[in-house]
């Protein structure tokens, strides 16, 4: 068996063993609600929308066409892990530009403990933004308080390893249009 076919089979087995948390239809409805709320709050501000790479790609690509108002778009890239398994200092791989005097909306795939989003919002405000709002498609329900809460949330997800809709599992399945959770050991 070739490596490629082994990886394919492993990926398919992972998906088959996973639990569907939110169907594609539920995800689409959540996007529509988010777009309505963002339009209500930011539709007349000509905001700068910043996507956090790489998980926010799918969420951003699906949300932007639903925002029927003028906006500027750019992306940022920040990491806290690098080669490590545990978070450390934040490293900006691509910093936000030209945020001074702007109303900014930051898009990310998931809000876990909130440390990264808190650092992003603080940096944007320190650079002179008028305001900085955050939108995440998935909000992980944790048994403890988060460093920050998002202004706009698509869907809540359980405190499990979730994937799909931009979130990956072992670098796989960002492209799914629903949200799944890895199977839990018995």
């Amino acid at each position: 068996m070739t490596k490629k076919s082994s990886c394919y089979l492993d990926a398919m087995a992972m998906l088959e063993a996973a639990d569907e948390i939110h169907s594609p239809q539920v995800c689409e409805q959540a996007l529509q609600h988010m777009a309505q709320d963002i339009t209500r709050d930011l539709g007349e501000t000509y905001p700068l929308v910043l996507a956090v790479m790489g998980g926010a790609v799918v969420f951003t690509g699906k949300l932007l066409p639903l925002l029927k108002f003028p906006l500027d778009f750019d992306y940022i890239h920040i990491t806290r892990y690098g080669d490590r398994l545990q978070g450390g200092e934040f490293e900006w791989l691509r910093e936000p530009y030209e945020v001074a005097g702007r109303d900014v909306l930051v898009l990310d795939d998931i809000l876990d403990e909130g440390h990264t989003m808190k650092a992003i919002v603080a940096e944007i405000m320190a650079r002179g933004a008028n305001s900085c709002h955050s939108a995440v498609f998935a909000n992980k329900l944790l048994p403890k308080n988060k460093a920050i809460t998002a202004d706009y949330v698509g869907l809540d997800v359980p405190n499990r390893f979730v994937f799909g809709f931009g979130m990956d599992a072992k670098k796989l399945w960002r492209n799914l249009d629903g949200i799944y959770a890895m199977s839990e050991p018995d």
Side-chain angles (χ1 to χ4, degrees), residues 79-89 91 171:
T79 184
R80 194 170 158 217
Y81 295 94
D83 296 347
R84 300 172 309 277
L85 295 177
Q86 293 187 346
E89 294 297 314
E91 177 185 356
K171 300 184 180 181

Side-chain angles (χ1 to χ4, degrees), residues 35-137:
Q36 291 169 0
D37 292 344
I38 291 168
T39 298
R40 177 196 65 226
D41 297 343
L42 300 175
E44 296 181 10
T45 67
Y46 185 56
L48 170 61
V49 178
L50 297 174
V52 179
M53 291 295 113
V57 171
V58 171
F59 170 43
T60 301
K62 289 181 174 273
L63 179 68
L64 287 183
L66 301 176
L67 301 178
K68 306 296 185 193
F69 55 83
L71 56 85
D72 285 335
F73 175 76
D74 202 356
Y75 74 94
I76 56 178
H77 198 167
I78 185 172
T79 184
R80 194 170 158 217
Y81 295 94
D83 296 347
R84 300 172 309 277
L85 295 177
Q86 293 187 346
E89 294 297 314
F90 291 103
E91 177 185 356
W92 286 91
L93 303 177
R94 184 164 194 279
E95 298 181 22
Y97 295 106
E98 302 178 26
V99 298
R102 299 296 306 269
D103 292 295
V104 177
L105 173 64
V106 178
L107 305 178
D108 205 358
D109 56 350
I110 188 167
L111 186 70
D112 282 306
E113 293 181 358
H115 299 295
T116 301
M117 184 63 79
K118 182 178 179 181
I120 291 169
V121 170
E123 180 65 21
I124 288 169
M125 293 306 294
R127 291 177 181 229
N130 286 339
S131 67
C132 185
H133 302 268
S134 59
V136 296
F137 191 70

Side-chain angles (χ1 to χ4, degrees), residues 1-10:
M1 182 176 291
T2 66
K3 179 179 177 170
K4 182 176 180 181
S5 61
S6 174
C7 291
Y8 175 84
L9 294 174
D10 290 347

